[in-house]
Amino acid sequence: MKENLRLITSFPEIIKMFESGISFCAFDTESTGIDVKNENLIELGAVKFSKHGIQDTFQSLVSSPKQLSPFIKELTGLNDKILSSAPTPAVIIPKFIEFISGTVLVAHNAQFDLRLVNA
């Protein structure tokens, strides 16, 4: 996912891309905590869209060997039992990479989300 990584901060450039019909993919992650090296991905969601509207959506819970803290349970609404039957990152990440292929990624907390997915 790192090959074509470029941060776009110019609003006029983003508008120009949007108006050209390029597909964007807004995505978000949930994790067991904020330290990417020691925490785990537990949910991944995305919406693929262009100027023509929503094209597709992606959502999956992700199993984690780590138990969720009370804070994360309250924040996400998830619990260990729900995640115990979720697919592993090895199953979900390739599907997500295929889903985002050919799109411009959009994220509110992009540095964290990309580091988490890459980890």
Side-chain angles (χ1 to χ4, degrees), residues 8 10-21 24 51:
I8 302 170
S10 165
F11 191 68
E13 184 178 357
I14 293 168
I15 293 297
K16 187 176 177 181
M17 293 168 71
F18 182 78
E19 289 174 349
S20 77
F24 291 81
K51 71 178 184 176

Side-chain angles (χ1 to χ4, degrees), residues 77-96:
L78 300 174
N79 61 54
D80 298 310
K81 184 176 180 184
I82 291 171
L83 294 179
S84 68
S85 61
T88 65
V91 170
I92 294 306
I93 298 301
K95 291 179 181 181
F96 178 67

Side-chain angles (χ1 to χ4, degrees), residues 32 64-69 73 80:
T32 55
S64 171
K66 256 188 141 153
Q67 289 198 333
L68 300 182
S69 70
K73 287 178 185 178
D80 298 310

